[in-house]
Every structure is written in structure tokens, then in C-alpha cells.
Amino acid sequence: MKKVLIALLLAALLVATVGCANNDQTPEGMQNVALESAKYYLYVPENWVPSSYNVSGARATPEENGPNVIATVHYPDGVVTAESYWSDYCVPEYTATLTSFALLEESTATLGGKDAKNYVFSYTFGDTVYQCRQVIAVFDFNVYVLTYTAVSTDYGTYTADVDSIVSNFTFK
């Protein structure tokens, strides 16, 4: 009886150990920097520095104002599309608040397996020209915006990283 009890205990321990196997889906060479409460995973390269603020995001370099990526969620009052969110909310806001706002590129994209829109634009802050890429998707009536921002001279340096971040973005 003692041997049967020990065998059952060992079997239960084995099942518990297998059941607790690592379910981490983080792509190799990347880290998840999404807030724990986020309904998505934001994977960035391991060498990027996670944001020290309460946002889902990271910087490509140690400098506080270095090239960065953040993910945000917006809760619109009605039904929107990525295109209508861009044209009805983003463009008026950016035109009103960003000096020299200019749309450079617009294309289709995918974010978290959902159809999305990709917008690249520039603006000036002080004497510095910045370039941004926003990938916008609508999922469960919420608007998800992944934004990459860099000084225009550094923008191209991290586009491969950002492409990887966009392609690995996953909804929970």
C-alpha cells in the first residue's frame, strides 16, 4: 500500500510539473514590455530598454529621448475603423498641435493578426524634425495604436526592429 501511495504521489507531482511547463510565447531574442493589464503582448528586441513610465513601450537606446515604441488603446464612443480614427481623430489633433505635421506614407498593414493601417508622418519640435510610424488596428471595438518615434536622422536605423515589433504584436 505504501508503494502504491508513493507511486501515486510521484505521478501527481509529475503531472503538476508538466502542467506548469513554460507557456511563454516570447519570440527568441525579444522581451514583452506590455503592461500586465494590457490585452496584448508587445514584444521588442532584448537590447531595447523597457519604459520606466507606466506605459507599454521601450526605447531603442538608453537615452531618455531616444527612438521608442509605445502601444496605446483608445476607447471610441462609436464604431470606428482604422481609417476613420486616423482621419477624424489623429489628423485634426496632429494638425492643431504638431508644427509642420506632414503625412509621408499611408499603407495597409497587419497588427496582431487584424487588418490595420500604417501611417508615417513627420513634425518639428523646436529645431528637431521627428518621424513617426503609427500602425492602427480596431479589435473588439477598441482602437490599438502602435507608435514608433525617432529623430528623422535616426528613423531608418531601427525600421527592421520596428517591423519585427509590429509582426510579433499579439492580442491575448
Side-chain angles (χ1 to χ4, degrees):
M1 179 70 164
K2 198 180 212 183
K3 289 182 182 182
V4 171
L5 192 56
I6 290 173
L8 287 173
L9 184 60
L10 286 174
L13 183 60
L14 180 62
V15 168
T17 303
V18 171
C20 293
N22 186 358
N23 290 328
D24 186 2
Q25 300 296 314
T26 304
E28 187 173 333
M30 300 188 94
Q31 61 180 317
N32 178 29
V33 296
L35 295 174
E36 192 172 313
S37 61
K39 295 183 179 186
Y40 56 83
Y41 298 102
L42 177 61
Y43 298 113
V44 301
E46 285 178 331
N47 62 333
W48 282 47
V49 180
S51 175
S52 55
Y53 304 104
N54 194 26
V55 297
S56 297
R59 299 184 312 278
T61 63
E63 293 82 32
E64 279 295 320
N65 295 323
N68 63 80
V69 167
I70 63 167
T72 54
V73 182
H74 303 269
Y75 308 97
D77 291 331
V79 177
V80 299
T81 64
E83 297 89 344
S84 68
Y85 182 79
W86 171 259
S87 63
D88 297 345
Y89 175 78
C90 297
V91 171
E93 181 72 20
Y94 298 161
T95 301
T97 60
L98 301 176
T99 304
S100 303
F101 167 74
L103 180 61
L104 306 174
E105 177 187 327
E106 176 181 345
S107 59
T108 59
T110 303
L111 187 67
K114 306 297 175 192
D115 289 339
K117 290 295 282 187
N118 183 72
Y119 300 95
V120 178
F121 59 94
S122 65
Y123 66 93
T124 303
F125 185 76
D127 293 333
T128 306
V129 177
Y130 289 88
Q131 198 164 328
C132 291
R133 173 182 177 189
Q134 289 192 318
V135 181
I136 302 172
V138 176
F139 177 60
D140 282 346
F141 303 104
N142 298 317
V143 179
Y144 292 82
V145 182
L146 189 146
T147 304
Y148 165 55
T149 305
V151 171
S152 63
T153 55
D154 291 339
Y155 181 85
T157 305
Y158 300 98
T159 54
D161 283 355
V162 175
D163 288 344
S164 179
I165 292 167
V166 170
S167 67
N168 283 293
F169 182 95
T170 308
F171 291 105
K172 288 183 180 177

